[in-house]
């Protein structure tokens, strides 16, 4: 049997009858856009993480754009985000005309370094060209960013805080979800994410009712909100009263039906991910240059299990030989990508980001990785190191 990097079929095997009937029920009911499953899923996702509102949308990239558009972030605004992340974290900034300012990461967690954030904000203020507006922290590889420190830096400078939790949705710090610190938490339901659907999907959570209402409007072409209609005395469908420039970004009813089934088993999957990661750490500590470490008090959802080695390509080739798939997240940091080169690095520099990009490699990771397969992977890595 070949080893899967992420085994979605094993997950389906666990819940196949329920999943098939949930999908068929949605097909039979025929409410393909904004059917009742969408509102039900939003309600359950809010309950899951203790957020007051969930606004689902078409993908995790739109989820990041929605709060920025709702806040009116635009030209002249600086948005501080890591460069060591998936490109979508920064991609939405030029969409709205804002400028990305890249912030370095911590060498142990790969997440935003609060000291580098502080330096970047001070630098932008000193220079006086851009207005510091928003911080986007990323829960890279599944673990929460240092929200207590990051949110206090953001508050001190009067900036909004977004948690890009596309890889980390479900993670907690001291038992609390990122929504306890962030103005908006965004996630993606891309199939390979810890909570994924069978296509594209995304969501934004917030405790701010006014923000939720505007984002709900924006995802349906800027349709009038209840408040807008009250003010305008409009007797037609409020969908046709378009108060703001929006977009088309809804979660499909079918995907909501899929997610309702997956949400039921998500807590047990998070436990399995924690157990499997701990076992990897025990088997690889001292064998590779660095095994992952979590910020104190964190539960990670382990979107990736990422180690560091000196000869990454050698290890990848050796593992491929043994039938073990690997991946590199991320080989080129965003500030080194041609389309993003003109955005400034923060005053703290990006030394850690650049060093890590050459060393990281991710191993198979999913809740259904059995011990025998995991031992095979660990043994293959040990064997490679013995050869040298
Ligand atoms: C996957 C991902 C996104 C984007 O999600 P899509 O649903 O693919 O648009 C954003 N940020 C991070 C960190 C991601 O990993």
């Amino acid at each position: 049997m070949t080893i899967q990097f992420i085994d979605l079929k094993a997950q389906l095997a666990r819940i196949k009858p329920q999943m098939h009937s949930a999908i068929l029920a949605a097909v039979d009911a025929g409410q393909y856009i904004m059917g009742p499953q969408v509102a039900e899923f939003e309600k359950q996702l809010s309950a899951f993480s203790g957020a007051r509102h969930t606004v689902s949308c078409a993908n995790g990239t739109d989820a990041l754009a929605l709060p920025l558009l709702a806040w009116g972030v635009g030209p002249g605004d600086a948005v501080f985000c890591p460069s060591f992340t998936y490109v979508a974290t920064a991609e939405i900034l030029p969409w709205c005309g804002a400028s990305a300012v890249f912030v370095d990461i911590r060498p142990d967690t790969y997440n935003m370094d609060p000291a580098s954030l502080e330096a970047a904000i001070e630098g932008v203020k000193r220079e006086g060209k851009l207005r510091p507006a928003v911080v986007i922290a990323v829960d890279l590889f599944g673990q929460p960013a240092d929200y207590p420190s990051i949110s206090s830096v953001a508050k001190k400078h009067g900036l909004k805080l977004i948690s890009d939790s596309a890889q980390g949705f479900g993670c907690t710090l001291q038992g609390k979800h990122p929504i306890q610190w962030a103005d908006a938490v965004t996630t993606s339901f891309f199939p390979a994410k810890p909570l994924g659907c069978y296509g594209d999907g995304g969501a934004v959570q917030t405790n701010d009712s006014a923000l939720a209402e505007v984002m709900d409007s924006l995802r349906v072409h800027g349709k009038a909100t209840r408040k807008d209609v009250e003010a305008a005395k409009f007797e037609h469908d409020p969908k046709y009263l378009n108060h703001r420039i929006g977009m088309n970004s809804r979660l499909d009813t079918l995907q909501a039906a899929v997610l309702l089934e997956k949400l039921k088993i998500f807590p047990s999957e998070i436990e399995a991910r924690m157990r499997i990661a701990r076992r990897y750490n025990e088997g690889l500590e001292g064998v590779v240059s660095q095994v992952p470490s979590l910020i104190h008090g964190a539960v990670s959802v382990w979107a990736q299990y990422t180690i560091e080695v000196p000869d990454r390509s050698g290890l990848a080739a050796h593992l491929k030989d043994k039938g073990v798939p690997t991946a590199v997240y991320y080989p080129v940091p965003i500030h080194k990508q041609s389309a993003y080169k003109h955005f400034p690095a923060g005053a703290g520099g990006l030394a850690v980001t650049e060093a890590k990009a050459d060393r990281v490699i991710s191993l198979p990771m999913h809740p259904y990785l059995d011990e025998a397969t995991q031992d095979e992977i660990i043994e293959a890595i040990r064997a490679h190191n013995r050869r040298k």
Side-chain angles (χ1 to χ4, degrees), residues 58-62 64 85-89 138-140 164-167 186-190 193 200-202 330:
N59 55 66
T61 308
D62 287 358
L64 283 162
T85 175
Y86 185 57
V87 66
T89 308
V138 177
D139 300 330
L140 201 75
D164 178 352
S165 212
Q167 297 181 20
T186 69
T187 191
S188 161
F189 304 123
F190 181 81
K193 308 281 175 170
D200 279 309
Y330 292 91

Side-chain angles (χ1 to χ4, degrees), residues 81-295:
C81 68
S83 171
F84 195 65
T85 175
Y86 185 57
V87 66
T89 308
E91 185 179 23
I92 38 83
L93 303 175
W95 281 12
C96 55
S99 181
V101 178
F102 292 114
V103 173
D104 214 359
I105 52 167
R106 289 191 46 95
D108 48 356
T109 62
Y110 308 104
N111 275 334
M112 181 181 271
D113 179 358
S116 178
L117 172 63
E118 176 84 58
I121 297 171
E122 296 287 1
V124 166
K125 284 188 163 171
R126 253 195 325 271
E127 214 180 19
K129 285 192 196 134
L130 297 168
R131 185 185 72 92
V134 179
V135 177
I136 304 180
V138 177
D139 300 330
L140 201 75
F141 302 150
Q143 75 160 309
D146 182 357
Y147 287 109
S149 307
I150 291 169
S151 68
S152 81
V153 173
K155 275 210 185 84
K156 180 175 132 194
H157 293 279
L159 311 194
K160 299 274 191 201
L161 175 59
I162 295 177
S163 156
D164 178 352
S165 212
Q167 297 181 20
F169 190 81
C171 73
T172 54
L173 186 58
Q174 296 143 17
K176 294 185 255 184
H177 289 267
I179 189 70
Q180 300 297 322
W181 292 277
D183 297 290
V185 174
T186 69
T187 191
S188 161
F189 304 123
F190 181 81
K193 308 281 175 170
L195 180 63
C197 61
Y198 291 157
D200 279 309
V204 196
Q205 299 195 308
T206 182
N207 289 327
D208 176 343
S209 304
L211 173 64
E213 196 170 283
V214 175
M215 293 192 300
D216 174 46
S217 162
L218 288 172
R219 72 173 161 174
V220 188
H221 304 288
K223 69 174 180 185
T225 63
R226 208 176 323 137
K227 258 195 232 131
D228 296 331
V229 184
E230 274 166 19
K233 300 202 172 46
F234 189 67
E235 72 268 25
H236 309 283
D237 188 333
K239 235 178 9 191
Y240 301 111
L241 191 61
N242 305 98
H243 263 254
R244 38 191 82 73
I245 308 292
M247 61 212 268
N248 176 11
S249 188
R250 296 167 295 220
L251 180 70
D252 289 347
T253 303
L254 266 173
Q255 302 302 349
V258 167
L259 285 160
L260 280 166
E261 292 308 314
K262 291 217 193 182
L263 190 58
K264 290 180 194 159
I265 57 168
F266 192 41
S268 72
E269 290 186 335
I270 296 173
E271 276 174 35
R273 287 172 181 275
M274 283 292 282
R275 186 185 70 240
I276 290 161
R278 226 176 282 127
R279 215 165 163 275
Y280 259 143
N281 273 15
E282 286 161 15
L284 294 173
E285 178 101 64
V287 176
V288 297
S289 315
Q290 185 170 306
V291 295
S293 53
L294 298 184
I295 183 173

